[in-house]
Amino acid sequence: MKSIYSLLIIYLIGITSGFSQCPDCIADENCGSGESFPTLCPEFLVNAVAGEYYEETITFYLPAEVQEGEITATLEEVVVLSVTGLPFGMELTINDEDLTFYPSQGDTFGCATLCGTPVLAGDYVISINAVSYTHLRAHETSLH
């Protein structure tokens, strides 16, 4: 009985890997327009249905500068390190092959396509983990 389950799992992995590579995406340049912090659009994804093909485009806006109070950070480079929490049968393809964006050089929009056929129903939290290399500066305030 154990070997039947093992074969079923191998079969399912073979099926889902045969559909790898989501279609290319085009970033929605209205996402985050005028914002001073990174923005993700849409904020919440449309629900998928187990056993049915799903495809959704996600756009992210990475402003060249982020300001919080007296501190301004120039986003020099943002690197996507990993994606976790995807349901079995789903994958995420990011539009930049090396997963690196350069907001301070005008590379402020990116996108990803989430696609596939989810095998199991449930609630999933998908995390896109990234690191940013920034240049920080404090604003000088003069008192008169």
Side-chain angles (χ1 to χ4, degrees), residues 2-4 10 14 18 23 29 33 41 55 69 83 90 93 98-99 106 111 113 119 124 126 128 130 144:
K2 190 175 185 180
S3 63
I4 292 174
I10 291 170
E29 294 192 8
S33 197
C41 301
E55 184 178 306
V83 177
M90 304 287 290
T93 302
D98 67 358
L99 306 178
C111 63
T113 304
V119 176
Y124 298 90
I126 301 169
I128 301 173
H144 296 277

Side-chain angles (χ1 to χ4, degrees), residues 4-144:
I4 292 174
Y5 288 123
S6 298
L7 288 174
L8 179 61
I9 289 172
I10 291 170
Y11 176 73
L12 288 173
I13 290 171
I15 288 174
T16 58
S17 65
F19 295 107
S20 63
Q21 206 59 354
C22 296
D24 292 336
C25 60
I26 297 173
D28 175 5
E29 294 192 8
N30 292 318
C31 176
S33 197
E35 295 288 323
S36 62
F37 275 92
T39 305
L40 191 64
C41 301
E43 188 176 344
F44 298 100
L45 296 173
V46 174
N47 289 334
V49 176
E52 293 181 17
Y53 181 77
Y54 178 88
E55 184 178 306
E56 184 74 30
T57 298
I58 303 162
T59 295
F60 44 92
Y61 170 65
L62 303 167
E65 290 189 342
V66 175
Q67 185 171 350
E68 179 65 35
E70 298 295 317
I71 304 292
T72 298
T74 301
L75 297 179
E76 301 291 341
E77 181 179 12
V78 177
V79 181
V80 177
L81 300 175
S82 65
V83 177
T84 59
L86 289 172
F88 187 69
M90 304 287 290
E91 72 175 72
L92 187 81
T93 302
I94 298 175
N95 72 317
D96 190 286
E97 248 181 53
D98 67 358
L99 306 178
T100 304
F101 299 88
Y102 302 94
S104 65
Q105 297 174 21
D107 190 13
T108 57
F109 287 97
C111 63
T113 304
L114 175 64
C115 72
T117 304
V119 176
L120 300 171
D123 292 325
Y124 298 90
V125 176
I126 301 169
S127 298
I128 301 173
N129 306 297
V131 64
S132 66
Y133 299 95
T134 60
H135 173 76
L136 296 174
R137 64 185 179 280
H139 300 277
E140 293 183 24
T141 306
S142 59
L143 298 174
H144 296 277

